[in-house]
Amino acid sequence: MSAALTPLRHRPFRHLFIGTTANLLGNGMAPIALAFAVLDATGSVGSLGLVVGAHSLTSILFLLYGGVLADRLPRGPLLVGSSVVSAASQAVVATLVLTHSAAIPLLMVLAAVNGASSSCYQPAAQALLPQTVPVESRRAALALSRIAGSSATIVGASLGGVLVSAVGPGWGLAVDALSFGLAAASFALVRVQVAPPGPSPGLVHELRVGWQEFTSRSWVWVIVAAFCFLNAGITASFTVLGPAVADTTGIGRTGWGLAVAASSLGAVAGGVLSLRWRPRRAILVGCALMGLTAMTPLLLALAPYTWVLVVANFVAGVGVEQAGVAWYSTLNEQIPEDRLARVYAYDDLGSYLALPLAQFAAGPAVLVLGLHATLYAAAALILLATLAMVATPSIRALAPKTAEPLPAPEDPAPGVTAGAAGHGSPPQPP
């Protein structure tokens, strides 16, 4: 077995790998199936927004609490519980859709339950991964997980479209529920040795400790703050501005779909590259490569041609994946294991907070500034955020522990650090 596949020799990692891949495969199908289920039932975009918004709201509201739970409870069983709740809620939604009994208030409640359960999944899965392999295999394990995740998302989205077209959105949601069930079964087989946590001093104290850890390292909070703005530019470009340009130019909807898919394919290629290439200043290189994502809004404004966007998004996807692997591997090296999940929770909170704001603001900005000016503003936001990261001394100085001693964190404090934002957003920064 090649060195790149060495993590698969470890049983705990294999089960975690299967579980997370199954989870992401289902999540690739779910948005497509749910969107068409709501539209078929109501014909209302507003109703769809309410259902999707209910999921996003609870996932953000419970995110920090999910991080605390993932640091205080065994992470494997927590992932099992999260997946079981998600499977049950999606199964009920599928049943309602298949029996033509779906009502928007009930769908909102079920979406909110699913969002709350998912708030435990992300921090727990990310923090559990370094516990499933030896230290020397962690970077390869992370890269393999991200390759599988990107691939599963692509396959899931494609499969979701096929299922919705062939047999209807209800069956797509049913398959999503089954994927959560498979994930739960896989997570139940993960066995790792961890020291039991001490008595909990309370939720507020746990969150304060996490915040102290987050703020004690300038490279962490600078990257998170930068990604908050960077993700705003990326999200507005991919979810609002890009489709608007596609509908008014020769790109068309099919062409835009290809351009979006190219970023995910680039992420897969970037994951393969990261198995072989690790720059000495990996986090600095990763931050700098995020500037490639500015090509999307710039090309939408200056050269809206399908294949130009496909190539640019593929290249940007490769760069984004380098940033992602560098970010997560650096956090795994630098953050105490018993506080790592809270770091990821603060990271995700900073990441996702900008996404709805960017989507809400993009439309009014086009009305006030015009489409081209808004695209230029999105590109400028991305480039300025990138420049802020690469100009920060602590980011420029950061190197792996295995390469050389790292500078001590400023004002050391007990706690967690959150990471580069947008880890679950298109096109997925670190």
Side-chain angles (χ1 to χ4, degrees):
M1 182 181 295
S2 70
L5 300 179
T6 299
L8 292 172
R9 294 175 178 170
H10 303 281
R11 186 186 300 270
F13 174 75
R14 285 202 305 273
H15 292 308
L16 180 64
F17 180 86
I18 293 170
T20 53
T21 302
N23 184 292
L24 291 170
L25 181 68
N27 281 342
M29 291 185 284
I32 296 172
L34 182 62
F36 286 103
V38 175
L39 290 175
D40 286 349
T42 67
S44 169
V45 176
S47 296
L48 176 58
L50 289 174
V51 174
V52 175
H55 180 280
S56 298
L57 181 62
T58 54
S59 64
I60 290 174
L61 287 177
F62 288 95
L63 190 55
L64 294 181
Y65 183 61
V68 171
L69 287 180
D71 275 337
R72 303 303 303 179
L73 300 176
R75 290 162 182 163
L78 184 62
L79 287 173
V80 173
S82 171
S83 298
V84 168
V85 172
S86 295
S89 62
Q90 289 297 78
V92 174
V93 172
T95 301
L96 292 174
V97 172
L98 289 170
T99 59
H100 306 287
S101 305
I104 295 304
L106 185 54
L107 290 180
M108 288 177 64
V109 171
L110 291 167
V113 170
N114 191 282
S117 66
S118 70
S119 68
C120 296
Y121 168 81
Q122 182 99 324
Q126 291 170 339
L128 180 60
L129 185 145
Q131 297 177 307
T132 62
V133 292
V135 173
E136 64 273 11
S137 297
R138 287 179 179 176
R139 182 178 173 87
L142 175 60
L144 283 174
S145 294
R146 290 179 66 87
I147 291 169
S150 297
S151 301
T153 300
I154 296 170
V155 173
S158 302
L159 182 59
V162 170
L163 287 172
V164 167
S165 299
V167 294
W171 290 109
L173 291 165
V175 173
D176 184 36
L178 286 175
S179 74
F180 278 119
L182 174 60
S186 297
F187 293 143
L189 297 174
V190 177
R191 301 283 189 272
V192 293
Q193 302 247 335
V194 293
S200 174
L203 176 63
V204 174
H205 177 81
E206 299 276 17
L207 291 175
R208 187 183 300 119
V209 168
W211 179 252
Q212 289 173 338
E213 187 78 21
F214 173 74
T215 56
S216 69
R217 295 166 171 84
S218 62
W219 61 271
V220 174
W221 63 259
V222 167
I223 290 177
V224 174
F227 263 91
C228 185
F229 291 98
L230 191 147
N231 277 337
I234 294 174
T235 301
S237 300
F238 271 81
T239 63
V240 180
L241 304 177
V245 173
D247 263 355
T248 57
T249 64
I251 297 174
R253 297 184 178 185
T254 301
W256 180 244
L258 289 173
V260 172
S263 64
S264 295
L265 290 173
V268 173
V272 174
L273 176 62
S274 69
L275 289 169
R276 299 292 183 183
W277 179 57
R278 184 179 189 181
R280 185 167 176 273
R281 306 287 182 182
I283 198 74
L284 175 62
V285 172
C287 289
L289 288 174
M290 288 306 302
L292 293 172
T293 58
M295 290 191 296
T296 297
L298 286 175
L299 289 173
L300 285 169
L302 298 172
Y305 305 112
T306 298
W307 292 108
V308 174
L309 284 166
V310 166
V311 172
N313 283 348
F314 179 86
V315 172
V318 174
V320 165
E321 192 62 16
Q322 300 310 302
V325 172
W327 171 254
Y328 284 121
S329 60
T330 303
L331 279 187
N332 290 342
E333 286 181 346
Q334 301 293 320
I335 306 302
E337 199 170 80
D338 63 335
R339 297 168 178 181
L340 188 56
R342 278 170 286 175
V343 173
Y344 283 131
Y346 277 107
D347 169 19
D348 288 340
L349 182 63
S351 305
Y352 299 141
L353 193 60
L355 306 189
L357 298 177
Q359 291 167 325
F360 290 141
V366 170
L367 293 176
V368 174
L369 303 175
L371 182 55
H372 279 65
T374 305
L375 287 165
Y376 292 137
L381 200 60
I382 293 169
L383 292 173
L384 288 172
T386 301
L387 180 62
M389 290 188 290
V390 300
T392 300
S394 59
I395 295 174
R396 296 173 66 88
L398 194 63
K401 284 183 175 179
T402 53
E404 66 180 34
L406 289 165
E410 304 89 341
D411 303 321
V416 215
T417 46
H423 301 152
S425 65
Q428 293 205 350

